[in-house]
Amino acid sequence: MVLSMASVVYAWEEPIEFTATVITCQYIEATDKYSFCAVGDVYGNGNRDPFTFGISRENIKLSDEFNLDLNGGLSMGRVITVVFNGEAMESYPMQIIPNYIVIGEENEEFADGELLSYLSMFY
């Protein structure tokens, strides 16, 4: 029996930008990258779709000279702006490859059960 796997990557011509909310973020020392689970309006249809990505520190920008210690990752609810070319791997949750992200000062407050609902999308 032969088992094969295919991965499809989609891409737009122009970079797109959307706002997302961090569900989990941790620094992975072995790869020197940050690993994110987030929800956001990836497709521009108003939905809060789950997605994951890894990104190096040099591709993380802070808005308005906002100083943030990224050594431990980011807290749940932090609002970020994601800029990417639409490259997404066919998986669930979707895995994207961002050009860069901008971390804002805003934190989103979750309604009762909302955070648990988001966490269940990833774990």
Side-chain angles (χ1 to χ4, degrees), residues 12-75:
W12 285 266
E13 289 185 24
E14 296 291 321
I16 60 170
E17 178 178 306
F18 65 93
T19 302
T21 303
V22 173
I23 302 303
T24 64
C25 173
Q26 60 184 339
Y27 176 69
I28 310 296
E29 191 172 344
T31 61
D32 194 30
K33 290 189 175 189
Y34 294 86
S35 175
F36 283 83
C37 292
V39 293
D41 188 8
V42 179
Y43 300 108
N45 58 9
N47 292 335
R48 307 261 311 203
D49 299 304
F51 64 96
T52 64
F53 65 92
I55 194 164
S56 59
R57 175 63 183 102
E58 58 266 11
N59 293 327
I60 298 175
K61 301 176 182 188
L62 303 175
S63 65
D64 301 326
E65 298 184 25
F66 176 53
N67 191 6
L68 182 66
D69 179 18
L70 289 174
N71 291 333
L74 289 176
S75 61

Side-chain angles (χ1 to χ4, degrees), residues 61-115:
K61 301 176 182 188
L62 303 175
S63 65
D64 301 326
E65 298 184 25
F66 176 53
N67 191 6
L68 182 66
D69 179 18
L70 289 174
N71 291 333
L74 289 176
S75 61
M76 281 184 202
R78 178 69 65 179
V79 176
I80 60 174
T81 301
V82 180
V83 178
F84 82 122
N85 288 333
E87 294 180 66
M89 289 183 240
E90 192 175 272
S91 63
Y92 188 84
M94 172 177 45
Q95 198 174 8
I96 68 168
I97 304 168
N99 297 356
Y100 64 91
I101 65 168
V102 180
I103 299 173
E105 295 181 41
E106 183 181 343
N107 269 330
E108 180 178 331
E109 296 293 325
F110 296 107
D112 288 342
E114 186 178 23
L115 179 58

